Amino acid sequence: MKIYNTLSKRKEDFVPLEEGKVKMYVCGPTVYNLIHIGNARPMIVFDTVRRYMEHKGYEVNFVSNFTDVDDKIIKQAIAEGVEASVISERYIAECKKDMQAMNVKPATTHPKATEEICGMLDMIGTLIEKDYAYVASDGTVYFRTRSFKDYGKLSHKNLDDLQGGNRSLLVSGEDQKEDPLDFVLWKPKKEGEPYWESPWCDGRPGWHIECSVMSRRYLGEEIDIHAGGEDLIFPHHENEIAQSEAANGKPFAKYWMHNGFLNIDNKKMSKSEGNFFTVRDIGQKYDLQVLRFFMLSAHYRSPLNFSAELMEAAGNGYDRIVTSVSNLNYLMENSASESMSGEERVLSDEAEGFVTQFDEAMDDDFNTADAISAIFELVKFANSNTKEARSKEFLQCLKDKIVTLSDICGLIVEKKQEILDKDIEALIEKRQAARKARNFQLADEIRNELLEKGIVLEDTREGVKWKRA
Ligand code: AMP
Ligand code: ZN
């Protein structure tokens, strides 16, 4: 399996630190609002990376944080007149709902910055001790960027170029920095903001330190993969490397993966421009499985443009797979023969070729665009080889392949048949007749059958009423 590593700027063979195991950290969202479809891209992409690795037999320890202390959260809390934690807890819960709706698996651990302050104080203390950090007279702790000799290795930036670019960026309050390149590890509290006690001042952490600390706590000092959107390469991930490697004295992450940006109608997504969509907005217009399909139809490192036309095309593509699976189910129900014939065995070997094609695409830096093409070819093969009567075993074999490959992409392609109102009424009538005939066993079976389909029955004086649970 090859992964493009931002650190080396090339595709490298994936060799885990520990055989059979993958330690993976993905920078998660800052929770001050509902997540937008840009945030959804790394969630879907890296969930698919995780699913593929699990499919290959790796045990994946997947950590993704919630940044729950930040200027934007505090601003929103002040606007609503509530504590910052009310805002962050609300949007963490909403984010988890969106993740579930997009079929993004929950992480092994979802740490929150505010619950990891102790670890941050510890790491900052180590950095001061090792002279990689210093305390300014107001209690702010800065990382001494030039003291970390590898600074710039991820973003391939040269310190002196950065110096030139950053000199003008010195903002007020930061004039105690030894060098404009230094960045904040801990900052003093401001009136009305959440704060924690520390040896340097009452205050709160800078943004970058949380990921170094949470990654170390849940995955160890050295990890396999660290990931996020490409906007995080600099300064966030560069600073994380500096903090972790300086504090631990070890290389931090082996592979750095970054997804390209999602634009809308070829423009940067922006609230003020009015081209900004939350996942919730999109969920009202489309099945979120279509959003997932759309995200995976491009390579994760390429920029991706979102538009109504492209979503329509994604919807058609996704439907093609769903329809094929439902046809195979129908054919299976109506098939007269059980086992595969010799000819069907040859065909099923041929179908295996599309599975290999899928794996080869995914092994090549998770090329989901080509992997989805392989699913399409398999669907085409299934459709054209099931025009005549086929055995159940053969049909099941085709279906299993389509469902397994789709599942690696997190695509749910086997839709539960919606039970229609008229079928419910018919079953209720059958149950009433069974009760009249004192066949209570059958009556109970029917009640349970309906319950499994999400229909709850209520016996009232006016007769039987039902509702969808
Ligand atoms: P944030 O809440 O801004 O820290 O973002 C959470 C994650 O979403 C990070 O990995 C970002 O890189 C990613 N992200 C934010 N906006 C976009 C976008 N328009 N396209 C792709 N990824 C994005
Ligand atoms: Zn991070």
Side-chain angles (χ1 to χ4, degrees):
M1 192 189 319
K2 285 194 184 303
I3 297 185
Y4 180 89
N5 191 350
T6 308
L7 203 54
S8 62
K9 284 187 152 174
R10 57 184 183 83
K11 285 183 197 166
E12 293 175 24
D13 279 324
F14 178 68
V15 184
L17 291 162
E18 201 181 323
E19 211 186 314
K21 295 194 172 166
V22 180
K23 298 185 207 78
M24 180 164 181
Y25 186 98
V26 181
C27 292
T30 306
V31 279
Y32 65 101
N33 201 341
L34 292 172
I35 57 161
H36 57 68
I37 55 173
N39 301 137
R41 191 171 188 196
M43 284 179 181
I44 291 171
V45 159
F46 298 117
D47 177 61
T48 307
V49 167
R50 170 195 190 173
R51 284 170 183 268
Y52 184 63
M53 292 192 148
E54 285 174 344
H55 166 73
K56 287 222 135 181
Y58 288 107
E59 187 187 310
V60 185
N61 191 345
F62 189 99
V63 176
S64 189
N65 65 305
F66 287 115
T67 298
D68 63 347
V69 56
D70 164 272
D71 289 344
K72 292 183 199 127
I73 299 172
I74 294 168
K75 200 172 145 203
Q76 185 64 25
I78 293 169
E80 292 190 28
V82 294
E83 300 267 313
S85 60
V86 173
I87 302 295
S88 58
E89 286 303 318
R90 181 198 301 157
Y91 290 114
I92 286 173
E94 296 300 336
C95 176
K96 287 185 175 170
K97 281 189 211 159
D98 286 337
M99 284 170 63
Q100 195 185 6
M102 296 186 294
N103 203 26
V104 170
K105 292 214 265 186
T108 317
T109 315
H110 275 294
K112 299 175 203 167
T114 56
E115 291 174 2
E116 307 288 338
I117 303 290
C118 236
M120 299 191 214
L121 298 181
D122 181 53
M123 191 178 277
I124 296 170
T126 306
L127 291 170
I128 296 172
E129 237 168 69
K130 289 186 159 184
D131 234 20
Y132 282 110
Y134 58 95
V135 189
S137 60
D138 66 351
T140 307
V141 185
Y142 291 106
F143 188 91
R144 193 175 272 127
T145 301
R146 281 182 188 278
S147 67
F148 182 68
K149 64 174 180 22
D150 283 340
Y151 196 85
K153 69 176 171 182
L154 180 72
S155 50
H156 307 280
K157 286 183 194 285
N158 172 309
L159 272 183
D160 292 317
D161 292 346
L162 283 174
Q163 173 88 59
N166 265 29
R167 199 181 289 277
S168 57
L169 292 180
L170 255 192
V171 289
S172 69
E174 291 198 339
D175 40 9
Q176 295 195 30
K177 278 185 181 182
E178 286 176 1
D179 186 311
L181 289 179
D182 297 348
F183 60 89
V184 172
L185 298 173
W186 188 264
K187 55 186 169 193
K189 70 172 179 186
K190 285 198 199 128
E191 195 53 41
E193 292 189 350
Y195 70 90
W196 291 264
E197 287 174 3
S198 84
W200 318 292
C201 64
D202 288 351
R204 61 185 169 100
W207 169 34
H208 317 295
I209 193 73
E210 69 179 76
C211 291
S212 286
V213 167
M214 295 189 236
S215 176
R216 179 170 79 174
R217 170 150 185 214
Y218 296 100
L219 299 171
E221 290 177 343
E222 293 183 79
I223 69 169
D224 294 293
I225 302 175
H226 196 115
E230 65 183 8
D231 58 322
L232 300 186
I233 298 173
F234 185 84
H236 184 54
H237 286 164
E238 197 70 74
N239 291 355
E240 277 189 43
I241 292 178
Q243 295 163 157
S244 295
E245 298 194 353
N248 304 331
K250 286 189 185 146
F252 180 25
K254 231 175 142 182
Y255 305 90
W256 287 85
M257 296 180 71
H258 294 97
N259 65 272
F261 249 46
L262 178 92
N263 295 316
I264 298 193
D265 292 326
N266 292 312
K267 282 192 220 106
K268 193 170 182 262
M269 185 158 50
S270 132
K271 253 187 192 159
S272 55
E273 295 277 327
N275 62 349
F276 176 95
F277 299 116
T278 62
V279 168
R280 218 47 76 79
D281 293 332
I282 297 306
Q284 282 173 356
K285 271 183 103 174
Y286 306 92
D287 179 346
L288 287 176
Q289 285 289 298
V290 174
L291 180 69
R292 184 162 184 131
F293 183 96
F294 163 77
M295 296 275 188
L296 297 178
S297 59
H299 192 276
Y300 75 90
R301 281 190 285 120
S302 314
L304 177 59
N305 188 44
F306 180 94
S307 70
E309 297 79 58
L310 292 170
M311 280 295 281
E312 199 178 312
N316 292 336
Y318 173 63
D319 283 348
R320 224 189 309 159
I321 308 175
V322 172
T323 308
S324 174
V325 171
S326 99
N327 280 343
L328 288 168
N329 277 336
Y330 174 81
L331 293 173
M332 253 185 283
E333 272 171 34
N334 296 287
S335 164
S337 62
E338 291 296 327
S339 312
M340 271 200 233
S341 66
E343 186 217 351
E344 287 175 340
R345 237 163 251 296
V346 174
L347 284 172
S348 76
D349 285 348
E350 208 179 311
E352 194 56 28
F354 301 112
V355 176
T356 310
Q357 201 180 317
F358 177 94
D359 280 357
E360 281 169 1
M362 291 298 274
D363 280 343
D364 182 17
D365 191 30
F366 308 97
N367 190 335
T368 53
D370 284 358
I372 286 180
S373 299
I375 301 181
F376 277 154
E377 287 193 38
L378 176 58
V379 162
K380 203 162 106 193
F381 180 88
N383 293 348
S384 61
N385 285 292
T386 49
K387 298 212 188 310
E388 58 210 86
R390 291 293 183 194
S391 69
K392 281 196 175 68
E393 193 189 357
F394 177 66
L395 295 163
Q396 182 74 50
C397 162
L398 290 176
K399 177 187 149 183
D400 286 349
K401 289 190 200 314
I402 299 174
V403 171
T404 304
L405 300 189
S406 303
D407 189 51
I408 294 170
C409 297
L411 293 168
I412 301 165
V413 291
E414 189 164 22
K415 297 267 164 179
K416 281 210 184 94
Q417 282 297 319
E418 271 271 308
I419 181 161
L420 302 172
D421 288 5
K422 70 172 178 30
D423 296 328
I424 298 170
E425 306 286 355
L427 279 170
I428 291 174
E429 249 171 57
K430 199 171 151 196
R431 177 170 169 266
Q432 292 300 79
R435 272 159 53 123
K436 234 187 202 158
R438 306 191 67 77
N439 185 349
F440 296 113
Q441 194 188 337
L442 178 63
D444 282 350
E445 274 170 22
I446 296 172
R447 174 189 277 273
N448 290 339
E449 184 187 335
L450 283 165
L451 200 59
E452 265 173 34
K453 294 186 159 109
I455 307 299
V456 183
L457 298 186
E458 209 183 324
D459 293 309
T460 70
R461 239 183 280 164
E462 296 86 49
V464 182
K465 291 200 169 145
W466 64 268
K467 61 174 191 228
R468 289 182 198 272

